Amino acid sequence: MSRLASSALVAFLLAGCAHGRSPYAATESSLELDRVVLYRNGIGYFERRGEVKGDALVIKVRKDQVNDLLKSLTVVERKSGQAVSVSMPLDPESWANAALSTLAPGQGSLAQVLDALRGTYVTLKTTQGKLRGRIVLVEAIVDEPDPTPPPSSERVPPPQGGARDFKVSLMDGKQLQVVRLSKVRGVTLQDGDLALQFHRTLDATAGEGMFQQVAVEIRLAGANAHDLVVSYVVAAPMWKPTYRVVLPEPGEKGPALLQAWAVVDNTSGEDWGKVSMSLTSGAPIAFRYDLHTPRTVSRSDLTEAGVQKRAAVAMGETSYQSGGDRDGDAIPDALDKCPDHPEVFNGYTDEDGCPDAANAASIAGQPAPPPPMAPSPAPAPDPRAAKKKDKAGGGGSSRNTRATTIEAEYERGWDHAGDEMAKAEEQAAGPAMDLESLRRSTQASARAKSVSGLTRFDLNERVTVPDGSSTMVAIVNQDVAAEQTFLFRPGGAGQGYEQNPYRVVRFKNTTPFVLEPGPIAIYAGGSFVGEGLSEAVGTQTSTTIPFAVEPSLMVSSQAQYTGDDLRIVKIVRGVIEVENFQRVATTWTVKGQPDPKGYSVLIRHPKRGGAYALKSKIEGLEELPDAYLVPLKVTGNATEGKVEVVEQTPSQTQISIWDGRVPLLLDALLRVPNLDAGARKKLEPLVRLRQEIGRIDTEIEGLARQQSELDQRANETRQNLEAIKKDSAAGDLRSKLNKRLDEFTREADKIGRTIVELQSKRLEKKIELEDSLQSIDLSAPTP
C-alpha cells in the first residue's frame, strides 16, 4: 500500500513539475489561434488568422515539430491568395548527436565523446596549462612512457603493466599539439550552439523534453500589411470519448438516453482562447517524415580517371613520298578531306586537322573572318513580366490552393446533419438522478459531417481550453433505442463467475456520429449500476455493452458429435458422388429463479470455423465475425431453458451403382420437390432397373441358400447310405434313403437351373442399367 502511495506521489510531483513544460510545446506566432481540429491518431490541425505588417512572418515551433510543419504548412492571403516562400535554419544538432550517441547508461567515456567531436574548437585545462585548438583525433595507447615530465606538485603512481591512456591531438592554426587525456582536468566547448544542444539533448535523456525552438520564416510578397490564414498539422494528444447510457425507470418502456463527452487535452504551450473546435473520429493515416535534415546522395568519384590516362609509345615510320601528297595535287593528303582549304594558314588547324582562320588570325594579331550567319536567338524572358504575372495571382502552389479551399469551407460554414437535440423540460423538484434530470444537466451542441470517410464533430460554440489543462466537451445528448438483457460468453463473467452471464445493455446508435471506443457508464433507477467499454460504433449500428455480473443465472453446455444425412450430389457417366455431414450439436442450458414475465439470455456461441456452418437458421440469431449471438428464451415461471445449435460440415465421396445404399438414395432423390422434370424422366427407369436387379439379387440369394441346404442334406444322406452299405437287413431303409437322395438331387438341380436363368436375366438388366447410366449427367438440387 505504501509503495502504491509513493508511486502516486511521484507521479503527482512529476505532473506538477511538467506543468508549463509540456512534451507538446508550442508554436509561437503573432497570429491568433482561430481553429483546432483534433484527431484520434496523435495529430492536430491548427489554423491561425490575422494581419502581419511587413514582408515576413516568423513562426516558432519546437524542433521535433518542424518536419510535421513542413509536410502540412499552408499560408494564404485571404484577399489575393498569393503564394509565399518558407525558409528556416538547417539541423544544428548533428555533432551533439554524434557525441551523445556513444553515451548510454553504463556505457561511453570522455575519450569517445571527444573523438566524436572531431573538428570542434575546444579548450583543454591540463596539469601543464591550457591548450586550445580543434580536435584532430583521439588515439588509445598502452604502456607508452610519457615524454613530458610531470610537474613537481603532481603525484605520479608507479608504472604498471598494461596501463592504458589516450593521446588527444589539437590543431591551432599551424601548430599541432598532443596531450595525454589523463592530464586533462577540464574541457570547454567554444561553440555556444553546440553546448546548448548538449544541454537540450541531455534534458531529453533525463525526461525533461526538448524545448529548443526553430524559427520558420515565411517571406511574403510586398512590404504592406497582409491578412493571412496559416494552417499546419503537428503532434497533439488524441481526444478521448466517454459515454453515459441512462435506462428507463423500472417497469417503464421507452428509449434510453445516450450522452457523450470528449476529453480534450491542451499541451500546446499556449491557451486556446475561444477557438472553433472540431473532433474527428476514424483512422486517418499520419506518419513522421524528415524533411528538415539535409540529405546527400553518394556519387562516383572520377578524379583519378584523368590522371590514370597514359599514351602508348609507338615507333615512328618513314614515308618515301615527299610532303605527304600522294595524289600530286600540291595539297597535303591530310587536307583533302576539308571542305575549304586555302593554301596558306600558317599551319593553324582546328580539332579536325582542317585550317582554322580564327586561330591563325588570333595568333598573327589579325581580325578573324566573320562566322557564318546563324538564326537570331529568341528574346530572353523578362523577369519583371513573370513577377507581374505572379502578383496577378497566377502560379500559386497546390498547397496554397488547398489552404484556399479550407478557408472557403470555413467561411461558408459546415453543413448541418442529424436531428436537433430535445429541448430541456422544466427542472423537476428534488435532486433525482433520473433520465430527465440527467438529460437537462447536459447541453450538447455539435454537428456531424462526413469528410473523406471520417466523421467530424463540429462544436457549435467556441471553446476555451487553458494551456496544461483538460476540458470535457458535451457532444451527444440524444434518445436511442435500447434494451437490458443478459449475455453469456464461454468462460463466464470472470474468475469465480465461470457459469454466470453478464447483465448487458444493447442499443442502436441512431445519432449521426461515429462513437469512438471509450468507457460507458450505465445509470438506471436513479443511480449508477455499472460500466463497460465500447468498441467503435458506427451510425445505425447496434452494440452490446456488459456492465455487471448476474450471479442468479447459471449457464452450461453439452456438445455431441455425429455423422449423418447421406445424399446424392451428382451422377456423371455412371459415377455417383454422394455427400454426408459431420455434425456437432451443442445444447445450451440456462437455469435460474422463475420470472412471471420470462426472460432471454444471449449466448455468444463461438464459430467452429473451417467448413462448418449452421444446419438451420435460429430465430433471432445474430452473426458476428467469429461467433453467433443465439437467443435462449426462458418462458414465464420456468426455471430452465434450452437451445440447440447444430453446426455441420459436408464430406463428399464416390460410390458404385451396385452399392446397397444406392436404391434408397435414388428413391430419396426422386422425392426432392425441385428436381428437374427431364432429370426425373431419366432417373425413373434407372431406379426401376436398379430395383429389379435388387429383387433378382435377393431371389438369387434365397435360392442359393436353399440349394446349399439341399446339398448339405444330400451329403448327409450319402453318408447314411455308406454306413448301411454292408447291412443285409437294412434293405428297406436303403431304398428309402436312395429315394430321398434322388428328391434332393432333382430339387437342387431345379434350383440351379432357376439361378442360372435369374443370373442371365440380371446380366441383361445390368447391361441396360449401365447403358442408361452413360447418358445421365446431372447435379442434384439442394433439398
Side-chain angles (χ1 to χ4, degrees):
M1 201 61 182
S2 60
R3 182 179 300 175
L4 180 61
S6 300
S7 300
L9 178 59
V10 171
F12 174 76
L13 292 176
L14 289 176
C17 293
H19 182 71
R21 299 187 66 184
S22 161
Y24 295 94
T27 310
E28 291 188 1
S29 172
S30 58
L31 301 181
E32 292 292 333
L33 184 64
D34 183 74
R35 184 165 177 241
V36 175
V37 181
L38 298 179
Y39 296 80
R40 295 272 297 167
N41 61 344
I43 61 171
Y45 170 83
F46 298 88
E47 197 172 281
R48 296 176 177 274
R49 297 167 181 264
E51 292 190 358
V52 176
K53 294 182 179 180
D55 63 348
L57 167 65
V58 177
I59 298 179
K60 289 185 178 180
V61 295
R62 220 175 57 241
K63 184 188 173 303
D64 62 332
Q65 293 182 336
V66 170
N67 291 312
D68 285 334
L69 186 80
L70 291 177
K71 283 195 305 178
S72 58
L73 179 66
T74 58
V75 182
V76 173
E77 285 208 53
R78 283 195 277 186
K79 295 182 180 178
S80 64
Q82 194 167 2
V84 294
S85 64
V86 180
S87 62
M88 68 202 69
L90 292 177
D91 186 358
E93 64 171 307
S94 302
W95 297 276
N97 279 346
L100 288 173
S101 64
T102 64
L103 298 179
Q107 299 179 2
S109 66
L110 178 60
Q112 292 175 316
V113 173
L114 292 178
D115 192 49
L117 292 175
R118 291 188 184 187
T120 305
Y121 199 90
V122 297
T123 299
L124 301 182
K125 181 181 179 182
T126 71
T127 57
Q128 298 174 337
K130 292 185 177 181
L131 298 179
R132 296 180 177 84
R134 301 178 66 185
I135 299 175
V136 179
L137 59 90
V138 179
E139 54 184 327
I141 56 176
V142 180
D143 287 340
E144 184 175 318
D146 188 357
T148 305
S152 57
S153 59
E154 183 177 357
R155 182 180 178 182
V156 179
Q160 298 177 355
R164 294 176 54 86
D165 202 348
F166 296 88
K167 292 193 297 186
V168 182
S169 301
L170 299 180
M171 175 70 76
D172 188 13
K174 298 181 179 181
Q175 184 179 8
L176 181 65
Q177 304 177 80
V178 180
V179 63
R180 300 246 172 158
L181 188 59
S182 59
K183 297 183 179 182
V184 175
R185 298 294 180 264
V187 180
T188 302
L189 299 176
Q190 300 299 324
D191 188 341
D193 290 339
L194 181 60
L196 178 62
Q197 189 59 43
F198 258 91
H199 285 293
R200 299 304 187 195
T201 311
L202 290 172
D203 286 345
T205 304
E208 295 292 330
M210 287 181 59
F211 304 105
Q212 180 186 13
Q213 290 186 329
V214 176
V216 180
E217 186 177 64
I218 302 169
R219 288 292 174 183
L220 308 173
N224 299 326
H226 301 271
D227 188 6
L228 297 180
V229 178
V230 177
S231 68
Y232 49 88
V233 174
V234 293
M238 62 184 291
W239 65 275
K240 304 176 289 292
T242 179
Y243 306 95
R244 178 194 294 155
V245 173
V246 186
L247 301 175
E249 298 301 321
E252 296 182 5
K253 293 184 179 181
L257 174 64
L258 173 63
Q259 297 177 318
W261 293 265
V263 179
V264 176
D265 302 315
N266 179 8
T267 58
S268 65
E270 64 175 325
D271 294 338
W272 296 346
K274 293 186 177 180
V275 297
S276 173
M277 180 171 289
S278 298
L279 308 171
T280 302
S281 64
I285 296 175
F287 52 85
R288 300 175 62 184
Y289 194 89
D290 188 357
L291 294 172
H292 187 215
T293 304
R295 288 191 287 271
T296 58
V297 178
S298 178
R299 297 176 296 156
S300 301
D301 187 351
L302 302 180
T303 304
E304 298 297 326
V307 179
Q308 293 175 355
K309 291 183 178 180
R310 296 291 185 273
V313 178
M315 182 65 68
E317 295 181 346
T318 301
S319 171
Y320 294 96
Q321 297 266 350
S322 61
D325 181 17
R326 295 174 185 246
D327 53 6
D329 60 357
I331 298 174
D333 294 335
L335 299 181
D336 283 339
K337 63 181 187 240
C338 300
D340 188 14
H341 43 73
E343 285 70 7
V344 181
F345 269 149
N346 294 331
Y348 300 108
T349 61
D350 58 16
E351 59 183 2
D352 296 326
C354 296
D356 191 338
N359 288 342
S362 62
I363 295 176
Q366 301 175 0
M373 296 296 292
S376 301
D382 187 1
R384 293 175 297 175
K387 188 173 183 180
K388 290 179 181 179
K389 180 181 178 182
D390 202 27
K391 280 190 174 184
S397 67
S398 60
R399 177 165 290 174
N400 287 284
T401 304
R402 172 188 166 198
T404 305
T405 304
I406 294 175
E407 166 64 16
E409 189 176 9
Y410 182 85
E411 292 294 333
R412 289 195 303 268
W414 306 109
D415 295 334
H416 289 269
D419 299 329
E420 296 182 356
M421 301 296 112
K423 295 182 179 180
E425 299 180 0
E426 295 182 358
Q427 180 81 22
M433 297 296 288
D434 59 4
L435 187 146
E436 292 303 324
S437 298
L438 291 173
R439 186 201 305 276
R440 289 191 297 268
S441 68
T442 302
Q443 181 179 358
S445 180
R447 295 161 292 167
K449 185 176 181 66
S450 178
V451 182
S452 297
L454 306 177
T455 299
R456 191 175 66 213
F457 300 82
D458 294 322
L459 305 185
N460 292 334
E461 303 293 334
R462 289 181 172 263
V463 298
T464 296
V465 185
D467 178 38
S469 66
S470 296
T471 300
M472 289 184 67
V473 181
I475 53 179
V476 176
N477 190 28
Q478 184 171 327
D479 289 340
V480 293
E483 65 171 338
Q484 186 177 170
T485 184
F486 306 100
L487 171 69
F488 180 80
R489 297 172 179 266
Q495 185 175 359
Y497 300 101
E498 288 79 4
Q499 289 187 288
N500 303 119
Y502 288 101
R503 186 176 287 270
V504 300
V505 59
R506 308 188 75 204
F507 68 89
K508 185 175 183 180
N509 178 20
T510 53
T511 73
F513 310 107
V514 174
L515 305 181
E516 286 289 330
I520 298 182
I522 310 298
Y523 278 70
S527 64
F528 171 83
V529 294
E531 63 183 356
L533 194 63
S534 169
E535 296 179 340
V537 184
T539 182
Q540 303 302 320
T541 302
S542 298
T543 185
T544 302
I545 308 297
F547 65 88
V549 179
E550 184 53 56
S552 65
L553 299 180
M554 306 291 289
V555 182
S556 61
S557 64
Q558 185 176 7
Q560 183 178 4
Y561 298 82
T562 58
D564 200 357
D565 287 356
L566 190 69
R567 71 181 186 91
I568 293 178
V569 176
K570 187 184 299 184
I571 301 177
V572 180
R573 298 188 179 278
V575 178
I576 301 177
E577 189 172 314
V578 296
E579 182 180 61
N580 66 335
F581 292 89
Q582 299 298 321
R583 181 174 301 159
V584 181
T586 306
T587 302
W588 293 93
T589 304
V590 172
K591 295 181 180 180
Q593 295 296 323
D595 187 335
K597 297 181 180 179
Y599 56 90
S600 64
V601 178
L602 289 174
I603 305 296
R604 194 181 193 278
H605 178 87
K607 292 181 178 179
R608 295 199 166 268
Y612 277 94
L614 286 178
K615 179 183 178 182
S616 58
K617 186 87 173 178
I618 299 176
E619 184 180 357
L621 178 140
E622 298 178 34
E623 187 169 354
L624 304 177
D626 60 343
Y628 301 105
L629 277 183
V630 183
L632 193 162
K633 298 181 180 180
V634 181
T635 59
N637 294 318
T639 59
E640 182 178 289
K642 293 184 178 182
V643 65
E644 185 181 52
V645 181
V646 180
E647 297 170 283
Q648 61 187 15
T649 177
S651 175
Q652 295 184 350
T653 186
Q654 293 179 351
I655 62 175
S656 168
I657 187 65
W658 308 116
D659 190 292
R661 297 168 293 181
V662 168
L664 293 177
L665 292 175
L666 290 174
D667 185 60
L669 180 59
L670 286 174
R671 290 199 300 268
V672 175
N674 52 346
L675 181 64
D676 181 72
R680 187 184 300 276
K681 186 176 180 180
K682 291 181 178 181
L683 283 176
E684 286 176 346
L686 188 70
V687 172
R688 177 179 53 78
L689 286 172
R690 184 62 183 86
Q691 290 174 347
E692 290 179 0
I693 292 175
R695 286 194 292 269
I696 293 175
D697 288 340
T698 302
E699 189 175 355
I700 290 175
E701 289 176 3
L703 291 175
R705 286 194 297 270
Q706 294 179 21
Q707 188 180 35
S708 176
E709 185 177 353
L710 289 173
D711 289 341
Q712 183 180 359
R713 292 179 180 180
N715 290 332
E716 292 175 354
T717 302
R718 290 189 185 95
Q719 293 175 1
N720 292 332
L721 286 172
E722 186 67 24
I724 62 173
K725 182 177 181 181
K726 297 180 180 181
D727 188 357
S728 58
D732 295 340
L733 179 59
R734 187 181 299 109
S735 176
K736 185 177 181 180
L737 290 175
N738 283 327
K739 184 178 180 181
R740 183 181 299 174
L741 181 60
D742 291 341
E743 291 176 357
F744 289 158
T745 304
R746 287 196 300 270
E747 190 172 353
D749 291 342
K750 181 179 178 182
I751 291 176
R753 289 193 297 272
T754 304
I755 290 176
V756 171
E757 292 175 359
L758 289 174
Q759 287 177 340
S760 177
K761 186 178 180 181
R762 183 184 186 281
L763 180 60
E764 294 175 0
K765 300 290 184 182
K766 178 183 176 182
I767 294 173
E768 185 180 358
L769 175 62
E770 290 177 346
D771 291 342
S772 300
L773 276 173
Q774 295 300 318
S775 63
I776 294 179
D777 186 353
L778 65 88
S779 295
T782 302

